Every structure is written in structure tokens, then in C-alpha cells.
DNA sequence: GCATTAATTGGTC
DNA sequence: GACCAATTAATGC
């Protein structure tokens, strides 16, 4: 428990739900009750089916949340970074986590217990309202994802993912600022490692992307966008 | 440096 | 488009 590095007042995640409502007097007492800790790269901190232990906020780092299928195949449900929240599904309704969560790199997490969350939700309407908007938005995204997996072919799904992580995590020195294994890309796109590699190889041949180790850089955003544009009716 | 793990390619069903 | 096998690259210890 290294609390020093995760005090909300000095936190720079302006989009964090807690940080956003920190100006409210009531929030101050709740912030004191949170627990911060570091989750090492590729370590799991939420186990599917385990009892819910509150809500996690990512202070610094990146996290993937997954759902496991019957045959051991994983489906990556969500990729999250600084200021995002993890483990909110089934909150209040379910006693157990419906998803698993892994750190994609060394990640500082802030945890609020069930009790603290309940108190906040019941006593800070501004927070509850913001969270509701967030839920609505997430639901919309997840419905879009269902549609994508249903209607897009593998190549389109991989392209869609590349554009997504490019938008979400940004690109530095021509490389997308996140490290995902080919397997993880496959888990997200709902296909296999080999398929992903084949799509990446052909995209590379077409000079639409480049790869350095497991890192990927996008070279021709508009061209990639045009390939999946028919699936995007916002 | 060796051993394990991940990436890649080619082939079969 | 999934699964398997062989080779090569990368990474951990």
C-alpha cells in the first residue's frame, strides 16, 4: 500500500470520476477511505466470479477487462487507461464480478470498497448522475461492439481495433502507445492469433501500418478509415 | 547464454 | 476461418 503516490488532490487524471467531484465537500471524507496499490504488468487483479470488492479506478497505467468463454477463449471486453473505472458491471445487482481484469503494464489502482461506494452513490447525487451517464455511454459502446463483431470481417475488425487504440492511446514516434500481444488483439477482435498476424502482414505489405516488435504504427489513417466507413453510422 | 514464450508462416480440414 | 506444426524472433532468468 503506497498511498503517497495516489492522493486524489495531486492526481492529474482530470477525467476521473472521483477527481471530477472532488470539489464537493462530501467527497473529501470518502477519498480518505480509498486504497491504492500497484498491480504489476500482466497480473490479474479482478478474477471472474470472485466476490465484488468495490470499484477500481486506474490512477496510472493500462488495463484490459475480459470475459472467458467455455473453451478457455477470452474475449477482451474493454481497454482502459488513466482515469477510467473498472469493475462497475453488476455493481449493486451482482455479488460477483462478471469480468476479469489484468494490468497491461505496471498500473497504479485506486480501490473503493462496496460500503464507501454505496455511501457515495446515496449521498452525492452529482456523482451518481455522472456515473449514470457513464453507464449509458458504456452500454451504447458495448452494443456497437456486438454489431461490429456480427457484421465486420476479420480484416475490418482488426482495422477497427487499430484505429480505436490509436485514438484512445495515441501514437508517439509513429507507434501506438500501447503494447498488446497478437493474442490480445485476437481476443479483442474475436478471432485467432494467426488471423491477426495475417491481417497485420498484409496491411504492412500495403504500407498502411508498420510494426516494430509487438508495437504497431499506423501510416495511413484515412485509408484505413475508408475501409470500415460503411460500418460506422454514428 | 540458455530456456521459455511470442510471432510468423505454411499447410490441412 | 479454426486448428496444428515448424521455424524464427524476443524475452526472462
Amino acid at each position: 500500500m503506497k498511498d503517497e503516490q495516489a492522493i486524489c488532490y495531486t492526481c492529474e487524471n482530470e477525467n476521473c470520476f472521483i477527481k471530477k467531484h472532488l470539489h464537493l465537500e462530501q467527497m473529501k471524507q470518502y477519498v480518505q477511505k480509498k486504497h491504492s496499490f500497484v498491480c504489476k504488468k500482466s497480473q490479474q487483479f479482478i478474477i471472474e466470479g470472485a466476490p465484488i470488492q468495490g470499484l477500481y479506478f486506474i490512477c496510472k497505467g493500462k488495463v484490459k477487462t475480459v470475459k472467458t468463454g467455455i473453451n478457455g477463449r477470452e474475449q477482451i471486453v474493454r481497454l482502459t487507461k488513466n482515469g477510467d473505472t473498472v469493475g462497475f458491471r453488476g455493481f449493486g445487482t451482482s455479488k460477483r464480478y462478471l469480468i476479469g481484469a489484468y494490468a497491461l503494464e505496471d498500473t497504479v489502482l485506486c480501490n473503493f470498497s462496496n460500503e464507501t461506494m454505496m455511501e457515495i452513490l446515496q449521498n452525492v447525487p452529482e456523482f451518481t448522475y455522472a456515473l449514470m451517464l457513464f453507464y449509458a455511454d458504456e452500454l451504447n459502446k458495448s452494443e456497437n461492439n456486438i454489431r461490429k463483431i456480427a457484421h465486420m470481417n476479420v480484416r475490418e475488425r482488426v482495422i477497427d481495433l487499430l484505429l480505436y487504440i490509436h485514438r484512445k492511446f495515441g501514437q508517439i514516434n509513429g507507434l501506438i502507445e500501447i503494447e498488446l500481444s497478437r493474442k490480445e488483439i485476437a481476443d479483442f477482435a474475436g478471432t485467432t492469433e494467426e488471423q491477426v498476424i495475417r491481417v497485420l502482414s498484409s496491411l504492412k505489405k500495403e504500407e498502411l501500418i508498420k510494426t516494430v516488435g509487438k508495437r504497431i504504427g499506423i501510416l495511413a489513417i484515412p485509408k484505413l478509415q475508408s475501409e470500415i466507413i460503411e460500418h460506422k453510422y454514428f
Side-chain angles (χ1 to χ4, degrees):
Chain A
M1 298 291 172
K2 296 182 214 162
D3 286 3
E4 299 81 12
Q5 57 187 311
I7 301 297
C8 290
Y9 299 97
T10 57
C11 180
E12 46 197 45
N13 293 318
E14 297 301 332
N15 58 330
C16 171
F17 274 118
I18 301 297
K19 178 78 180 178
K20 258 192 261 183
H21 296 89
L22 207 55
H23 61 278
L24 297 169
E25 190 62 33
Q26 310 144 275
M27 285 300 287
K28 289 178 185 167
Q29 54 172 314
Y30 300 126
V31 168
Q32 315 253 321
K33 293 187 184 172
K34 77 164 186 177
H35 298 287
S36 299
F37 63 99
V38 177
C39 185
K40 289 275 187 193
K41 180 176 179 175
S42 73
Q43 290 281 306
Q44 186 172 18
F45 63 93
I46 296 180
I47 297 168
E48 213 171 334
I52 288 184
Q53 294 161 10
L55 204 51
Y56 293 90
F57 293 86
I58 302 170
C59 176
K60 187 173 183 307
K62 297 183 181 73
V63 168
K64 66 168 178 180
T65 58
V66 303
K67 254 186 187 300
T68 338
I70 330 151
N71 42 7
R73 289 266 295 264
E74 285 183 342
Q75 172 71 46
I76 296 187
V77 181
R78 220 163 143 250
L79 291 171
T80 43
K81 59 169 183 170
N82 296 7
D84 287 338
T85 163
V86 182
F88 56 88
R89 259 172 266 251
F91 190 75
T93 57
S94 175
K95 286 263 181 284
R96 297 181 179 281
Y97 283 116
L98 305 170
I99 46 94
Y102 298 80
L104 292 171
E105 55 190 55
D106 290 0
T107 297
V108 182
L109 294 159
C110 304
N111 176 254
F112 287 79
S113 72
N114 294 331
E115 295 72 30
T116 309
M117 281 312 300
M118 282 303 169
E119 281 182 47
I120 296 177
L121 290 173
Q122 284 170 2
N123 297 326
V124 190
E126 292 91 340
F127 184 92
T128 310
Y129 179 68
L131 193 68
M132 201 204 72
L133 292 181
F134 170 76
Y135 268 86
D137 195 42
E138 283 298 316
L139 187 59
N140 182 35
K141 281 186 201 163
S142 120
E143 284 170 351
N144 279 337
N145 274 332
I146 294 171
R147 193 192 65 210
K148 277 177 194 165
I149 289 195
H151 295 324
M152 293 171 115
N153 61 35
V154 173
R155 181 182 162 105
E156 290 168 334
R157 293 205 297 267
V158 172
I159 290 176
D160 188 65
L161 167 76
L162 291 177
L163 290 172
Y164 170 69
I165 58 175
H166 177 269
R167 192 176 67 233
K168 173 137 189 167
F169 299 100
Q171 193 158 257
I172 297 178
N173 297 329
L175 293 173
I176 298 174
E177 198 51 25
I178 186 174
E179 241 181 59
L180 287 175
S181 70
R182 306 288 127 115
K183 176 80 173 57
E184 284 166 331
I185 296 175
D187 288 341
F188 201 100
T191 177
T192 58
E193 198 177 354
E194 295 92 327
Q195 288 285 320
V196 168
I197 287 167
R198 293 197 160 97
V199 172
L200 291 180
S201 300
S202 50
L203 289 176
K204 208 159 43 170
K205 269 200 194 105
E206 296 165 45
E207 299 191 333
L208 299 174
I209 64 164
K210 66 171 177 177
T211 60
V212 179
K214 54 166 55 171
R215 293 263 177 158
I216 299 170
I218 296 188
L219 301 174
I221 295 173
K223 211 154 185 191
L224 290 173
Q225 279 172 338
S226 67
E227 276 205 43
I228 58 167
I229 197 78
E230 52 191 304
H231 295 282
K232 303 241 170 195
Y233 35 94
F234 295 80

